[in-house]
Amino acid sequence: MALQDRNRVVVLEDRVENISGAEFPLSFDGDSVPFTLAEFKDTMDIKIVRITPTDIEFDLIGVDASVANALRRILIAEIPTMAIEKVYMVNNTGIVQDEVLAHRLGLIPIKADPDEFQWKKPSAQPTDQNTLVFRMDVTCTRNPEASADETDAKKKYINAAVYSSQLEWHPQGDQAERFAKAPIRPVHEDILVTKMRPGQQIVCEMHCEKGVGKDHAKFSPVATASYRLLPEIQLLEDITGEDADALKECFAPGVIE
């Protein structure tokens, strides 16, 4: 493998070459190219392709595939967030068991800056510096304004469906002042938690703590994080006529003109 090919993963007819990192001495026909942080900073570049409130796409240039994969794994497993860790069930007469309901509540993403909170040790007591408190008190009743022949449960009953918007944040200590400009809340207000019928009730208190995705998936800040290699197509000979048209059809529009 020549030195100029070190940034190329080559897809051949029967195999894939250059898939492993090679930034160590004597890996390129006698040339020594050990990893240095200074050179890494000079050669690496990031170009934002698309960014929205919920996702981001970018090109990571000048790095080995192993670095891109390491970044992917860091995004999934090592960036802290706040999530519901403990659920204290006061009353639950719905059809969803306490354990399953607590699990569903834990997976609701919470909009809170984890940098504003301390890590909570298992033996530590909850404080306004390491814990967020949510409460939910929902009772399903019949809607007195619904007609007798109504079949839509959302119109026939009140609180037939329980959503994440019904989680109420209860500030502790000075949290009300600290987060006055950005009140703590679920990221999405339309996440279905459970369904109920008249006479059923859910009363519980939830404590949010700081954590990372490698401990539990509920702390992962991303739903998915993936990468793919930037293709570079090299034609070894001229292709014309019908063969050129057939080759063009093998790729997405715009790749080959």
Side-chain angles (χ1 to χ4, degrees), residues 73-215:
R73 296 186 65 169
I74 289 171
L75 289 172
I76 294 174
E78 298 190 29
I79 295 179
T81 64
M82 300 295 291
I84 296 173
E85 177 68 7
K86 292 182 172 61
V87 178
Y88 300 94
M89 203 68 66
V90 178
N91 187 28
N92 176 23
T93 56
I95 61 172
V96 179
Q97 307 96 309
D98 292 355
E99 295 83 357
V100 177
L101 183 59
H103 184 265
R104 291 181 63 85
L105 290 169
L107 292 174
I108 296 175
I110 303 300
K111 188 174 180 61
D113 185 356
D115 292 337
E116 296 291 334
F117 296 90
Q118 301 173 358
W119 295 93
K120 181 178 178 295
K121 296 181 180 180
S123 58
Q125 294 297 317
T127 70
D128 60 325
Q129 299 298 318
N130 60 26
T131 303
L132 288 169
V133 176
F134 283 88
R135 290 173 187 159
M136 183 168 63
D137 186 346
V138 183
T139 302
C140 182
T141 59
R142 293 185 179 276
N143 185 359
E145 299 181 358
S147 60
D149 57 350
E150 180 61 65
T151 58
D152 187 347
K154 292 183 179 180
K155 297 179 180 179
K156 189 174 183 179
Y157 309 122
I158 298 175
N159 292 327
V162 181
Y163 293 96
S164 54
S165 59
Q166 292 170 278
L167 273 66
E168 298 180 0
W169 172 49
H170 285 252
Q172 306 296 308
D174 65 346
Q175 289 180 353
E177 292 77 19
R178 286 165 55 196
F179 304 107
K181 295 183 179 180
I184 307 299
R185 61 177 179 82
V187 174
H188 305 288
E189 297 185 348
D190 57 350
I191 299 175
L192 180 64
V193 177
T194 185
K195 293 184 177 181
M196 299 194 300
R197 289 299 180 264
Q200 296 178 349
Q201 181 185 40
I202 296 175
V203 181
C204 62
E205 179 172 299
M206 297 147 278
H207 288 190
C208 299
E209 299 178 6
K210 187 175 181 177
V212 292
K214 63 183 178 182
D215 293 332

